[in-house]
Amino acid sequence: MKLHWDGLTSEQVKEQRDKYGINELDKQKKEPFYLKVVHTILEPMFLLLIVASLIYFFLGEPKDGLIMLIFVVVIIAIEIIQEWKTDQTLNALKDLSAPKVKVVREGKTIEIHSEELVPKDLMLIEEGVKVPADGFVIKANDLRINESSLTGETEAVWKIICEDFKGNVNDELDNYWREDYVYTGTLVTTGSGTILVDKIGSQTEYGKIGKHLAHAENTPSPLDLQIGKLVKICALVTLAFLLLVAGVTFINDASLDLKSRIVQSILSGITIAMAMIPEEFPVVLMVFLSMGAWRLAKKDSLIRKLPAVETMGAISVLAVDKTGTITENRMTVTELWPLYSENQTRLTEVMGLASETDPYDPMEIAILAYDESEGWSKEKLFNGELVKEYPFTDELKMMGHVWNRNNQIEITVKGSPESLINISTLTDAEKRSTLEKITAFSNQGLRVIAVGEQLVQTIAEVPETIQKCQLTFLGLIGLSDPPRATIKNDIMQCKKAGINVVMITGDNGITASAIAKQVGIPNADHSLTGIEIDRLSDDDLGEHIKTTNIFSRVTPEHKMRIVKAYKQNGEIVAMTGDGVNDAPALKYADIGIAMGKRGAEVSREAADLILMDDNFSTIVNTIEDGRRIYDNIKKAIGYIFVIHIPIALIAFVGPLLGIPQMSLFLLPVHVVLLELVIDPTCSVVLERQPSEPDIMEREPRNPKETILTKSLLVKSIIQGLVIFLISFFTYYLMLQQNPNNDSLARTMGLTILVVANLFLVQVNSSNRLLAIQTFKTLIYDKVIWLVLGGTSIGLLALIYSPMNDVLGLSALSLTQLLVCIVLGMVSVLWYDLVKMVKNKTSI
Ligand code: ADP
Ligand code: MG
């Protein structure tokens, strides 16, 4: 095959795709539709429904049975639509955060999803990228790859250009772990390269091993577990009630024959079970979290793992990088200090020579921009031959370029002053004045970089490693990087919200302190350095971090220890990271935050959250949203709990009072109506609630706190009891007055329940605002109107249409209707009075 530097055309891509398929490791098995239906039907709630309708058929009341079956179908449809919507949301999110790769196609460099790669594509890889397909190295620039995921070898491998490339793409390779070939799943640690894709998907070495399968663990989140537990407890209570009610019904109906007694007691048991099983809890959790994540994605905050939404609200420590997160990452050279003034020009020249020829780091760009303004254009600087590179490492904090230029070999180095002083020849006096200057620059919040050179005659004299150089120290440069405009305010907001902001940087402590002071980070006068961290035991580190907010001269390995120490102290830690080596710490943190713009691809893959705009403000907003979403989940769980109480009590008390089965307040059909149609619809309102006014003035939520707190439980029980008393007694009084008109009594009771439902969501939408106020905040929201309007119209339709007879309902007179509406309102709006009193006393 001839190499086409223009890459594939779209026809060729299509051809290849048809031939080799999609570049994915494991095909995602989609649950077929019928299995979804089967799963839904197997939920206890539906089994009950189906049993109930079968009993009706069996009793020779096919009308009732049919209604139940219609409900089953409607509810299954609702559930499947809901699931489908959630699925869609999650897929859209996944799509946004899916790995991408640059390829050359039809002569243009474009970015595509890694999945869309086909053999013979030309892909461009660079530092921080996880290689998405196997392929031949066509071009390499300083390309080093860590292949430990395949070979276990932790030392990165230098890649060379494939010389004997014969173009026999997709031939079986006999030679394993070639140096001129890159492998899927490995990590580019430095440099860049162009790769001719050879194999994709399960054809790759990585795909063949199938190792990746081990990573696909799916552990339930703490909230999942809590809700699971809640559901279990409710199910047990339900079982007890079911047995009790079934027993009582059996004894009460002593006048009937045995068969009817059994059937009646089963029916009342089923009714109470349906009334009590809290099947909405997991649904609420899933819907609220995925909707929340979706809303966040629109605000530049991409959640990669759903439970992160809830954890965001519990964050107590926010550890962020200085450069780019707190500062703008817009560097400018503002100071230049040559050790000897005659060195000024040479310093300017060497700092350019020691920079990347094709820079992307803002600091390098700043240095070259400065040189440009001083008359050192790139062409003028880089006119020699680059014979060797000493790549930058986090440990050494310096880098160098060796140039063959002007008939000599020039070793040019720049980096952190501490590192450079170590490999330079300086007299004590020179050292002293240098150190003084470093302190002076740092105190101004500048990043200080030292520059040095060594001239040799032959390439043989060039030291193997940068540490073996013996430099002539040329001087220092000071770079400014202004703090972001909103940062001070953001940090203040975090303080109010009880979140400890911690700064992590590779810069020196004095510079870090100066910046910290400018932006209002507490304990800004001292910092803990990476070397000091190395000397501390885990316990001592745990003590130190209680009063430390700045970590300077740290490497990614230190970040890991810092996260661990905070977690040991019981904190919930969010940490940002952008480098290749930040991935482990990001994974370990409760919330790992990666940068969408400047971050390395692997850091994004390890993160729970990707900040699309790299902006600190977005983190703060996401925390606020996390708190809001958690609040709303809590409100929804509370609401569902409240509304279950009257339904369950009605189903329970009726048989106890000896009311005959046919005259009961709630027949199974009505329970289904309330439970499965009305209250899930109403909880949609809670999902849309804006945050409470004091949301960022509270301490972070205690992660151990259960979602149904004691106070919420007490409030819910009282609210539920009041609704029960008002609706049940209205029904009971009506029934006493007209013993033969159970449908009238039932209709009045049911209307009260539905009205109470509609107002309860408003009342419980806020802990402080009154129902009318919360309603006003969402007055322009169409969905709210759809829910409230739809439910009201639905109720009226049931009461007044000819269908009412089938459902055991009857038309109400206007007075009766109004009485019910007022009673329904009273049964929940009383809680607004409690709020008023609370608001008064808390001011
Ligand atoms: P930060 O955490 O602020 O992003 P880095 O880890 O990028 O810090 O850098 C740490 C230190 O390494 C810097 O203060 C500087 O002394 C040195 N350094 C960083 N980038 C370069 C570079 N491109 N060339 C030379 N030295 C560098
Ligand atoms: Mg950096």
Side-chain angles (χ1 to χ4, degrees):
M1 190 195 84
K2 228 177 85 220
L3 251 184
H4 289 292
W5 288 105
D6 281 352
L8 301 176
T9 63
S10 43
E11 291 90 63
Q12 285 170 319
V13 169
K14 199 179 165 295
E15 230 168 77
Q16 293 287 82
R17 170 97 24 86
D18 291 343
K19 199 157 154 199
Y20 298 104
I22 303 237
N23 180 28
E24 59 185 354
L25 286 172
D26 23 33
K27 287 225 169 35
Q28 279 195 0
K29 274 193 221 102
K30 259 207 125 30
E31 199 179 19
F33 182 74
Y34 72 92
L35 267 184
K36 246 179 208 164
V37 178
V38 170
H39 277 157
T40 314
I41 294 176
L42 285 181
E43 280 168 30
M45 193 64 182
F46 287 98
L47 288 181
L48 285 174
L49 274 171
I50 290 165
V51 172
S53 54
L54 287 182
I55 289 181
Y56 280 124
F57 280 118
F58 170 74
L59 283 177
E61 293 185 39
K63 218 171 54 185
D64 289 283
L66 202 62
I67 294 174
M68 292 294 266
L69 279 185
I70 290 175
F71 270 119
V72 171
V73 173
V74 171
I75 291 159
I76 288 180
I78 292 180
E79 195 152 306
I80 285 173
I81 290 173
Q82 202 159 41
E83 211 172 287
W84 175 77
K85 254 205 89 182
T86 316
D87 248 27
Q88 291 256 307
T89 313
L90 292 180
N91 281 340
L93 279 175
K94 227 191 234 158
D95 207 43
L96 283 173
S97 61
K100 299 203 176 74
V101 64
K102 286 195 191 120
V103 290
V104 180
R105 281 182 185 171
E106 302 192 314
K108 280 191 232 89
T109 303
I110 52 170
E111 203 173 42
I112 59 168
H113 282 294
S114 304
E115 276 189 353
E116 295 166 16
L117 277 177
V118 293
K120 293 189 192 173
D121 251 331
L122 282 179
M123 71 173 173
L124 310 176
I125 54 174
E126 60 187 15
E127 181 180 320
V129 164
K130 200 167 184 184
V131 177
D134 289 5
F136 298 97
V137 181
I138 302 295
K139 268 195 207 164
N141 180 4
D142 220 0
L143 184 63
R144 270 202 305 177
I145 296 197
N146 182 323
E147 296 184 338
S148 59
S149 57
L150 279 178
T151 60
E153 180 60 57
T154 49
E155 185 84 10
V157 184
W158 288 99
K159 288 291 170 180
I160 55 172
I161 292 173
C162 183
E163 294 290 354
D164 64 339
F165 172 72
K166 297 184 197 78
N168 32 351
V169 171
N170 241 326
D171 274 358
E172 209 40 58
L173 294 174
D174 43 359
N175 190 356
Y176 261 58
W177 316 135
R178 299 165 54 152
E179 288 180 313
D180 54 3
Y181 196 83
V182 298
Y183 299 93
T184 305
T186 59
L187 184 63
V188 183
T189 53
T190 61
S192 58
T194 305
I195 309 297
L196 178 69
V197 175
D198 177 32
K199 291 179 178 153
I200 60 168
S202 50
Q203 295 298 309
T204 61
E205 293 306 318
Y206 192 61
K208 279 190 219 153
I209 301 175
K211 230 183 193 171
H212 50 277
L213 293 177
H215 292 298
E217 48 187 303
N218 222 347
T219 46
S221 78
L223 201 52
D224 279 332
L225 291 176
Q226 255 191 54
I227 299 242
K229 210 168 119 193
L230 202 61
V231 170
K232 236 179 243 154
I233 293 174
C234 290
L236 278 179
V237 176
T238 307
L239 190 68
F241 272 69
L242 182 148
L243 293 176
L244 189 67
V245 171
V248 169
T249 313
F250 187 78
I251 296 162
N252 275 352
D253 289 351
S255 56
L256 301 172
D257 61 300
L258 187 66
K259 193 184 111 191
S260 316
R261 284 172 75 183
I262 292 175
V263 169
Q264 292 303 341
S265 61
I266 291 178
L267 269 184
S268 54
I270 285 178
T271 315
I272 193 140
M274 284 198 300
M276 290 181 69
I277 296 178
E279 77 296 328
E280 305 100 314
F281 286 164
V283 180
V284 158
L285 187 64
M286 190 65 195
V287 170
F288 279 39
L289 289 179
S290 56
M291 285 305 290
W294 179 241
R295 287 174 208 281
L296 280 168
K298 289 196 211 153
K299 294 194 267 182
D300 282 337
S301 178
L302 206 58
I303 300 282
R304 290 196 63 248
K305 293 163 195 163
L306 213 45
V309 180
E310 64 174 275
T311 316
M312 281 311 287
I315 288 170
S316 59
V317 171
L318 180 52
V320 293
D321 291 310
K322 172 177 78 66
T323 313
T325 310
I326 289 181
T327 66
E328 288 186 349
N329 211 7
R330 259 196 311 123
M331 301 221 186
T332 344
V333 177
T334 52
E335 298 282 353
L336 208 63
W337 179 78
L339 181 57
Y340 295 105
S341 51
E342 62 269 26
N343 281 350
Q344 172 105 23
T345 330
R346 185 61 185 157
L347 172 61
T348 314
E349 184 180 1
V350 170
M351 71 193 214
L353 288 171
S355 298
E356 297 294 350
T357 51
D358 196 11
Y360 58 87
D361 184 318
M363 184 173 93
E364 308 262 334
I365 293 172
I367 290 175
L368 290 177
Y370 180 84
D371 273 13
E372 178 95 42
S373 71
E374 292 291 305
W376 291 99
S377 67
K378 269 197 195 178
E379 296 73 44
K380 199 168 153 197
L381 273 175
F382 304 136
N383 62 356
E385 182 202 352
L386 184 61
V387 287
K388 187 178 171 71
E389 289 186 52
Y390 300 113
F392 178 81
T393 67
D394 288 314
E395 284 69 35
L396 295 173
K397 300 204 188 309
M398 53 186 174
M399 62 174 283
H401 281 163
V402 183
W403 292 93
N404 188 347
R405 219 168 150 258
N406 309 330
N407 299 324
Q408 61 179 346
I409 310 280
E410 305 177 1
I411 303 171
T412 59
V413 178
K414 72 178 195 315
S416 90
E418 296 101 304
S419 319
L420 240 80
I421 287 174
N422 272 333
I423 56 166
S424 300
T425 45
L426 282 169
T427 65
D428 281 350
E430 285 170 340
K431 211 180 218 170
R432 226 173 300 123
S433 61
T434 305
L435 288 176
E436 252 168 44
K437 206 67 208 173
I438 295 172
T439 314
F441 281 172
S442 303
N443 270 324
Q444 297 171 38
L446 299 178
R447 167 178 281 200
V448 191
I449 297 287
V451 181
E453 69 171 340
Q454 182 182 352
L455 304 178
V456 294
Q457 292 313 312
T458 62
I459 292 189
E461 292 167 72
V462 175
E464 179 66 24
T465 64
I466 198 166
Q467 290 119 297
K468 294 205 183 112
C469 294
Q470 287 199 312
L471 304 178
T472 309
F473 197 86
L474 290 172
L476 302 170
I477 33 183
L479 296 115
S480 73
D481 179 12
R484 285 174 178 271
T486 53
I487 193 87
K488 213 166 170 176
N489 189 23
D490 292 332
I491 289 177
M492 202 143 70
Q493 223 179 329
C494 287
K495 244 186 233 167
K496 268 198 213 150
I499 299 163
N500 191 15
V501 178
V502 170
M503 177 162 117
I504 295 182
T505 178
D507 258 349
N508 79 41
I510 306 174
T511 308
S513 283
I515 301 273
K517 264 180 214 144
Q518 285 174 30
V519 300
I521 291 180
N523 301 320
D525 42 8
H526 74 283
S527 72
L528 206 59
T529 64
I531 295 170
E532 286 165 342
I533 293 175
D534 284 337
R535 288 200 206 106
L536 291 172
S537 70
D538 284 346
D539 287 343
D540 289 342
L541 182 60
E543 273 310 306
H544 270 81
I545 55 173
K546 288 180 183 160
T547 51
T548 304
N549 286 68
I550 304 173
F551 298 90
S552 58
R553 288 287 187 236
V554 295
T555 63
E557 287 72 50
H558 295 124
K559 280 187 161 184
M560 186 70 181
R561 277 198 70 196
I562 295 170
V563 179
K564 262 193 186 150
Y566 276 116
K567 283 182 82 166
Q568 206 81 52
N569 286 358
E571 309 280 3
I572 303 290
V573 190
M575 177 175 265
T576 65
D578 52 12
V580 178
N581 302 325
D582 284 337
L586 288 181
K587 248 190 195 145
Y588 196 77
D590 295 290
I591 297 285
I593 305 174
M595 302 297 152
K597 283 189 183 160
R598 80 186 128 91
E601 182 73 44
V602 256
S603 67
R604 287 197 279 273
E605 222 165 288
D608 302 282
L609 172 74
I610 303 175
L611 284 190
M612 298 313 283
D613 59 359
D614 295 14
N615 191 344
F616 188 86
S617 299
T618 310
I619 306 181
V620 181
N621 293 338
T622 307
I623 292 178
E624 180 178 340
D625 257 318
R627 288 185 174 195
R628 178 187 70 84
I629 293 164
Y630 187 85
D631 254 17
N632 287 349
I633 291 178
K634 202 167 153 177
K635 287 171 192 166
I637 299 281
Y639 161 74
I640 292 168
F641 198 72
V642 175
I643 212 69
H644 268 264
I645 292 173
I647 304 175
L649 283 177
I650 289 165
F652 181 62
V653 172
L656 287 195
L657 288 176
I659 299 171
Q661 171 72 33
M662 290 324 291
S663 310
L664 283 176
F665 184 166
L666 296 177
L667 300 176
V669 169
H670 307 116
V671 175
V672 173
L673 191 70
L674 286 166
E675 279 275 316
L676 293 175
V677 183
I678 295 173
D679 71 77
T681 328
C682 289
S683 40
V684 169
V685 175
L686 293 166
E687 197 277 321
R688 309 177 81 81
Q689 291 305 315
S691 48
E692 301 266 356
D694 67 336
I695 196 146
M696 288 302 266
E697 279 150 37
R698 323 175 192 149
E699 290 291 302
R701 152 174 68 90
N702 175 359
K704 294 203 190 84
E705 168 196 295
T706 51
I707 190 138
L708 204 58
T709 50
K710 229 179 241 148
S711 59
L712 181 60
L713 196 67
V714 170
K715 170 186 152 186
S716 305
I717 290 179
I718 297 176
Q719 284 183 325
L721 276 178
V722 174
I723 300 173
F724 161 71
L725 289 175
I726 294 183
S727 60
F728 189 77
F729 277 96
T730 308
Y731 152 82
Y732 197 63
L733 276 177
M734 292 305 288
L735 193 66
Q736 297 298 49
Q737 283 171 12
N738 329 279
N740 295 324
N741 199 349
D742 55 81
S743 62
L744 176 67
R746 182 180 300 121
T747 309
M748 289 192 71
L750 197 68
T751 307
I752 294 176
L753 277 183
V754 174
V755 173
N757 226 312
L758 291 178
F759 281 88
L760 184 67
V761 264
Q762 298 302 336
V763 171
N764 283 4
S765 278
S766 170
N767 300 323
R768 288 175 158 227
L769 298 179
L770 305 183
I772 182 81
Q773 290 168 311
T774 60
F775 181 67
K776 266 194 201 147
T777 57
L778 289 174
I779 198 141
Y780 295 116
D781 190 328
K782 280 188 216 111
V783 175
I784 305 283
W785 282 104
L786 201 69
V787 168
L788 302 183
T791 309
S792 313
I793 293 170
L795 175 72
L796 294 177
L798 288 182
I799 299 177
Y800 292 105
S801 77
M803 250 191 345
N804 59 10
D805 185 41
V806 184
L807 290 168
L809 301 175
S810 62
L812 298 179
S813 72
L814 188 62
T815 327
Q816 285 166 335
L817 182 67
L818 286 178
V819 166
C820 290
I821 291 176
V822 170
L823 285 177
M825 286 171 69
V826 169
S827 71
V828 289
L829 283 178
W830 65 269
Y831 190 75
D832 269 6
L833 293 178
V834 178
K835 281 194 222 167
M836 281 186 206
V837 173
K838 264 199 202 156
N839 286 347
K840 275 253 165 56
T841 49
S842 70
I843 291 167

